[in-house]
Amino acid sequence: MRVKVLIVEDSKASREYIAAMVEAVEGVEVVVTSSGFEALKLLPRHRFELIITDINMPDINGLELINFVKKNPNYRDVPLFVITTEGREQDRDRGLALGAAEYLVKPFVPGSLEALLRRYLKLP
Amino acid sequence: MNPGSKALAEFVAEATEILDALARDLLVLDERRGQEADPDLVNGIFRAAHSLKGLSGLFGQERISRLAHGTEDLLDRLRLGKLLLDGAVLDALIEALDAFQALLGEAARGTETEVLSGRVDAMAARLASLGAPTEVSEDDPLDRLELEAQVRSVFTEYEEHRLRENVRRGVALWRVRAAFDLSDFDKGLAELNARLKPMGEVISTLPSAQPGGSHGIAFDLIFGGQVDSAALEAGLEGTPAELSPLGVRPAVDVVTPALVRAAQPAVTVRQGAGKSSAAGAGSEKAPPASRPRADTGAGSELGPRESGRDTRGGGKATGAPGTAASSDAADTTAATSRKRREDSSDAPTRDAPDVSAEPRRADAESSSPTKRSGGRKRSSRTPAATPSEEQQPLLPHLSSDGAAQGAVDWPTSVSEGVAHLDVSDPGAPASPGAPEPHESIVPTEPSPAPLVAYLQGAAKASPKGLSVAPSPPAAGPGSAPAPSVGSPSAQTSDTSLRSLTQTVRVDIGRLDGLINMVGELLLIKANLQRLAESARQDGAVALSKLFGQELARETRGLERKLEALQEGLLEARMVPVGQVFDKLARLVRRITREAGKEIEFVISGGEVELDKLIVEELSDPLMHLIRNAIDHGVESPDARLAAGKSRRAVVSLRAEQKGNHVVIEVSDDGAGIDEVRVREVAITRGLITFAQAQEMTRRELLNLIFQPGFSTARSVSELSGRGVGLDVVKNNLGNLSGIIDVWSERGKGTSFHLTLPVTLAIIRALLVGVSGRTYAVPLNSVLEIISVQPRDIRTVERREVLDVRGQTLPFVRLARMFALPDRPVSRYFVVVVGLAQERLGIAVDELHGQQDIVTKPLGGRLQSIRGISGATDLGNRRTVLVLDVAALLEEGMATERRRA
């Protein structure tokens, strides 16, 4: 039984790139979406073990998504990773304050993402 | 994990999209130089830079990321009002865009040149150093916004900036709450957004954390309204939205008490119009914590509630935008504040009617800052262009006498040559101490400088003109040292405008249409299968009349559907030619600056659609023609004034669809081409004989400039799309089955017409027979077919011609042209072909009808055969050659001329 990870990122190239990294971890199934709205719709339909979200997105931003997830009794235990871009410390800090578990600064080292995934997903 | 080539392609595609958007927005900013920048636009550009930084960072494109970082920082300072958007900043941004494009080009090729890396370093340093910071207000307008910290904590920096900007501008802020069903909330939100957008700006969309029932979800939209509350409420009627205003306390340290008093009542009006008790209005001395209760004393004797009722009762609910209301509007608009001062000078306490009238005026003004400054638009660009132009001895280049002189002097004197190079490249002197002399020796070919300079244009200018690109005259000598002066960097600064990707964006509706057609085809296939099956089972009996009818009907249906599918697919390949125009417009700006000219660039017909392939291939020839027009066609402002023209030259680029063709015109109102000089040069170079020259019309003479030997385009070559002679332009167009034509009047200007087929992929062709061989003639260039007797053919000045309805038509026999045995025939079929104004009759023996063909290029040695554009398979395993009408039109003339 594989665990599901949701990736929310509006840039297609970035999304595919991150998805490829996450999928490379054995035992993980990836669900991707390009928008916060879609993420809101996906949440009740799947059981995600982890969510990775970008901050700047066209409909709702990543912080709003984190806030939504963390305030909602159904999802509040799902760990969230924030992907931020170098130099936007405020977004990162707010993400952490809202309850994000980790942040990844682009460009990030693939190995570090894998290690984090294993830790939070409790994979061997 | 190395991103593979697919990932790289995805990166390049997305980065290209970002840069395209960036270019469009920058162009708009550039066009509105001197006006107050539209914050949406600046934000859009900021976002583009931000996305680019993230994207390139992720893909390990360190240089792009670094430059994007610098650009983003600069834009951030702009957005925050820490930096004024002046000419230098805009120039830097535009140059950064050029650098991005060059970088992306290298990324796509997987290369990394040091020159470009150096340019990135210099560019980044320049971006960082830019800017006379404006006065930074200590006061954060957001602190005056009455919004829960909880809500604020989920705003991104970007959204906060937007919010801050709205507060600073005194826009009325609202919280729009709406609950939807979880299954289709996005539709509901989209509708809500569509209603809100025309009335203001949706700053943020926040999903409410409280579960709105088991299947519901609620959203809070933070909205900056440009209309009053009544209009807002009316606009949202029928949606589940609930409005509540967000209070803003007035800024305290920038306005006079009188202003505050004047503005004060408006705040209360807004309050009354809304539904919530949270609206805020404070006196200038009120502490941040003051709530509505406190501000009633500040100047108006009306409480918020009363004043609201009052305004409504008076039918003057000007309200909310009133925002305007807030005293900030006053300090952003001098005119407004003056008016307010007048209004308020005599009335420390005001009564309601006045109050309601005031904010409306204030609002009207504050909402249209761009219009007010519009008058400055035209003149605002010129300063950037003038510095270099003043140093330019441009005049001699323009008079035809000077041209003749230059032609003589060029080969004999190196120093003279240098002077001419400078003339053809006015930007050069602007970079002090640039090592010019050794470069000036490069064009050793004796060439009649000025006149030919126009014609070969970029060929000569390229190695040099480019060298100055990195140091913009606008920045002033010394202020921005060019990172590396010389041709290598030059190359990168003027790379081809061709897209780096081969993707076409297709409207989903079009795709759906195609998919539907395929579905219908499958249906027909099923019917045919059924018929085939019944034929197989019933044997000979099946071949009844009924069966035949049914089969025929299905076949017809199949044919129709296939045609529709073909058409649909061709349509999917079509893109608006404006895609290239936009890129060119940006280029024009830079060339203009480098050349020290003043130019108004006029574009029209950008919506005309052409095959993607053609649009791509067009960019380089168009760039060349436009560069020519600016560098050599258009005179300097002073020379123009001397010639009785306006200072500002007009260079225009127009596209127009004419039947199956698109005509693109590049024209200028410059000095024009001197056909007498063209004739001399052509004779000197042995392109034509003196006798031929005597017979040639003015148009034919002008068109000699496209002859390969005419311009000294030896230096052509390896530069990406640059430095080609006009013959190369002509060949490029020929490859697209297009032709180019020039018309020019001395002193009035020059105009190039490019005639192109709408699509290349599938064409309808006329099949003709000559001496037992079959050829295909693209039908889109066939005008008519006439039948003539041999005696109808006359010889005029040793050319064969026909008289058709009183007009003389040049005429060639295809058999002779391809050296096939002439067959004695009693009559010829003459296929009259034409492109643009050129007409030619082609004599053939037989006509075989029409057919759709896909032209395949001829490989290897066959490629160079004139008059043949490719081969096509007719389906019955016969391959025939496709005639190249454009080449035949030319060849027809040329052979006749040679024979003469």
Side-chain angles (χ1 to χ4, degrees), chain B residues 610-777:
Chain B
L610 276 171
D611 191 280
K612 165 83 171 173
L613 187 66
I614 300 179
V615 169
E616 285 295 318
E617 295 294 324
L618 257 183
S619 59
D620 290 347
L622 285 179
M623 179 167 90
H624 181 78
L625 291 173
I626 289 172
R627 188 176 252 287
N628 261 353
I630 296 171
D631 279 350
H632 312 293
V634 161
E635 316 92 323
S636 72
D638 292 342
R640 290 182 60 86
L641 285 178
K645 299 181 180 180
S646 61
R647 256 184 95 77
R648 205 179 172 83
V650 177
V651 173
S652 64
L653 177 60
R654 295 174 211 280
E656 194 189 344
Q657 178 140 18
K658 289 185 172 168
N660 274 334
H661 286 94
V662 167
V663 178
I664 297 179
E665 182 197 51
V666 178
S667 61
D668 64 67
D669 66 347
I673 301 175
D674 179 355
E675 81 275 9
V676 180
R677 288 281 308 130
V678 171
R679 189 169 67 178
E680 281 171 30
V681 172
I683 294 174
T684 318
R685 303 206 167 192
L687 298 173
I688 49 169
T689 65
F690 187 77
Q692 283 170 337
Q694 295 296 328
E695 290 176 12
M696 291 174 78
T697 65
R698 188 173 134 74
R699 241 189 88 231
E700 286 170 325
L701 282 171
L702 284 175
N703 276 285
L704 283 174
I705 62 175
F706 297 114
Q707 293 283 322
F710 192 84
S711 58
T712 55
R714 285 177 310 110
S715 50
V716 175
S717 66
E718 58 288 346
L719 292 191
S720 46
R722 283 291 315 280
V724 294
L726 285 173
D727 59 321
V728 180
V729 170
K730 183 170 189 145
N731 276 346
N732 286 351
L733 287 167
N735 293 340
L736 300 173
S737 309
I739 62 163
I740 184 168
D741 188 41
V742 62
W743 182 248
S744 179
E745 279 189 59
R746 283 175 69 182
K748 291 200 176 155
T750 306
S751 146
F752 290 91
H753 284 94
L754 286 63
T755 308
L756 293 149
V758 172
T759 184
L760 288 180
I762 303 176
I763 55 170
R764 208 153 174 81
L766 175 72
L767 300 180
V768 299
V770 180
S771 307
R773 289 175 171 80
T774 306
Y775 295 91
V777 188

Side-chain angles (χ1 to χ4, degrees), chain B residues 28-50:
Chain B
V28 176
L29 271 191
D30 189 34
E31 279 167 358
R32 299 185 193 153
R33 250 177 211 243
Q35 299 179 27
E36 190 180 335
D38 176 356
D40 277 354
L41 214 51
V42 176
N43 269 321
I45 296 171
F46 169 83
R47 278 174 72 123
H50 179 75

Side-chain angles (χ1 to χ4, degrees), chain B residues 388-413:
Chain B
S388 63
E389 148 220 324
E390 282 164 8
Q391 306 165 36
Q392 297 317 305
L394 274 178
L395 267 166
H397 158 64
L398 299 156
S399 77
S400 56
D401 287 349
Q405 180 126 20
V408 178
D409 287 347
W410 183 275
T412 57
S413 148

